[in-house]
Amino acid sequence: MKVDVLLGLQWGDEGKGKIVDVLTPKYDLVCRFQGGPNAGHTLEFDGQKYVLRSIPSGIFQGNKVNVIGNGVVLDPALFKAEVDQLMASGHPLTERLLISRKAHLILPTHRLLDAANEASKGAGKIGTTGKGIGPTYTDKVSRNGLRVGDIELNFEAKYAEAKAKHETLLKQANFEYDLTELEKEWFEGIECLKKFAFIDSEHFINKALKDQKPVLCEGAQGTMLDVDFGSYPFVTSSNTICAGACTGLGISPKSIGNVYGIFKAYCTRVGSGPFPTELFDQTGQIMRDNGNEYGSVTGRPRRCGWIDLVALRYAIMINGVTDLIMMKSDVMDQFETIKACTAYRHKGVVTEDFPYDIQEDIEPIYTELPGWKTDMTAVKSESDFPVAFKAYIDFLEANLGVRIKFVSVGPDRAQTIERYTTL
Ligand code: GDP
Ligand code: IMO
Ligand code: MG
């Protein structure tokens, strides 16, 4: 049995949570493979809205097993808050959520270091979510990290050692802080974590595959935030791309089946960094208002712009995308004209290939298409697509070279149109 991977192709917030929830009935296991509570994955159904940060988005669909993989970084305090919220809304978790022993823990001091690093960068700050993601992955790579499995073994001493190292760094940075409340919540979070099964998730997932159980891997962030291939240094600290599913879960590249690449019919970004098609005018504001483009974790307004096909083609290439999923088509319902960036003029030269540096001297070259001027939220099937909308899809498919399998026309689970079935 192969595993399918669903991942973001832009700068995150493409709608991954919604689609994982929609796809989950077809799978036995849903596994998160990277990132942490910097993610905010929104799901809406039965008139309710949920935002998940570390818990996979398959958690609401019956008795499916959800796994937090080794590539994830977990903050016990935020994890407890998420668990408490889901439990209070009547969703049982303990039986169906398993956690890799190899997942790294975000310490309270990691959050402080994140803030200190950002403060030291001044105007050049990344605009992180402030959840301690960078410092935790730094400790992982420099072999100083604390893992979920450590909770079972001499934990207090290991915690004290890591904390002492971080406090030295915080003092060097002259960063003022008070750990009391943060630590209290964190240790309460550790007690909450202990209620869940810690597993060797690589064995668990590979056994499931051997037993012919279908597995879906859920990505966080998006390809343009990948630490290797994104708009470095304005990226997150993990591999958000398809290869991240292999390292973040312990599955072989040979096991990858379908790769679902998800994108918005336009483009957004939150935090600092280059964004060639960004709009600073009324059109961008309409996208923000219609799309409710405010961060689901931080509440920050998201920057909005036209779809960038140069960046999308790059993301499709890096991930080996087999099928595309287009989200939030309804947000552009009222536009007379829609623009799609098909090439860049980079340092005076026209290129269709994504360049090394998109920070300076990038001018997007656009193709203009007619808008559909139809309320897409009411559309139930492809046969009801307006002609101009169908033309937009045909244009994108021809330019990107991959078919669009799903079209999403609203935030609700039910507002999803499947255009063809995948074998
Ligand atoms: P994720 O991080 O990729 O899971 O995406 P987020 O949840 O951060 O952001 C996507 C936002 O768009 C959420 O508020 C969703 O409820 C909403 N959403 C998802 N699909 C659609 C859609 O097709 N139309 C509209 N209008 N909103 C959508
Ligand atoms: P989901 O999974 C959008 C952005 C931050 C910042 C950069 C680094 O909901 O799509 P970090 O805290 O990771 O060190 O921040 O990455 N970022 C996201 N933007 N959606 C996300 O997650 C993001 N996670 C991180 O805004 O620019
Ligand atoms: Mg999000």
Side-chain angles (χ1 to χ4, degrees), residues 48 50 80-93:
Q48 298 290 317
Y50 303 91
K80 178 176 183 301
E82 205 174 325
V83 166
D84 288 350
Q85 227 171 25
L86 289 187
M87 294 290 214
S89 59
H91 292 283
L93 287 178

Side-chain angles (χ1 to χ4, degrees), residues 12 23 30 41 49 51 113 117 152 159 173-174 200 218 230 238 253 269 281 353 370 374 385 389 404:
L23 292 178
V30 178
H41 295 177
K49 181 171 167 171
V51 180
L113 284 169
N117 288 343
E152 297 164 327
Y159 173 80
N174 287 322
D200 297 324
E218 174 179 1
S238 64
R269 161 159 220 177
D281 59 5
D353 291 333
T374 306
F385 284 175
F389 186 73
I404 299 175

Side-chain angles (χ1 to χ4, degrees), residues 11-14 16 38-41 114 126-131 133-134 219-222 225 234-237 269-272 296 300:
W11 275 286
D13 301 328
E14 296 90 349
K16 298 174 289 295
N38 47 349
H41 295 177
D114 198 357
I126 308 288
T128 73
T129 57
K131 299 290 178 284
I133 304 298
Q221 290 79 56
L225 289 170
F234 300 98
V235 294
T236 191
S237 298
R269 161 159 220 177
V270 60
S272 330
S296 37
R300 291 181 289 179

Side-chain angles (χ1 to χ4, degrees), residues 100-140:
S100 168
R101 287 195 177 87
K102 294 191 173 76
H104 278 245
L105 291 170
I106 302 175
L107 273 54
T109 38
H110 281 133
R111 271 207 245 175
L112 299 173
L113 284 169
D114 198 357
N117 288 343
E118 283 284 83
S120 74
K121 286 182 195 282
K125 69 175 184 178
I126 308 288
T128 73
T129 57
K131 299 290 178 284
I133 304 298
T136 307
Y137 279 116
T138 302
D139 271 352
K140 171 178 177 173

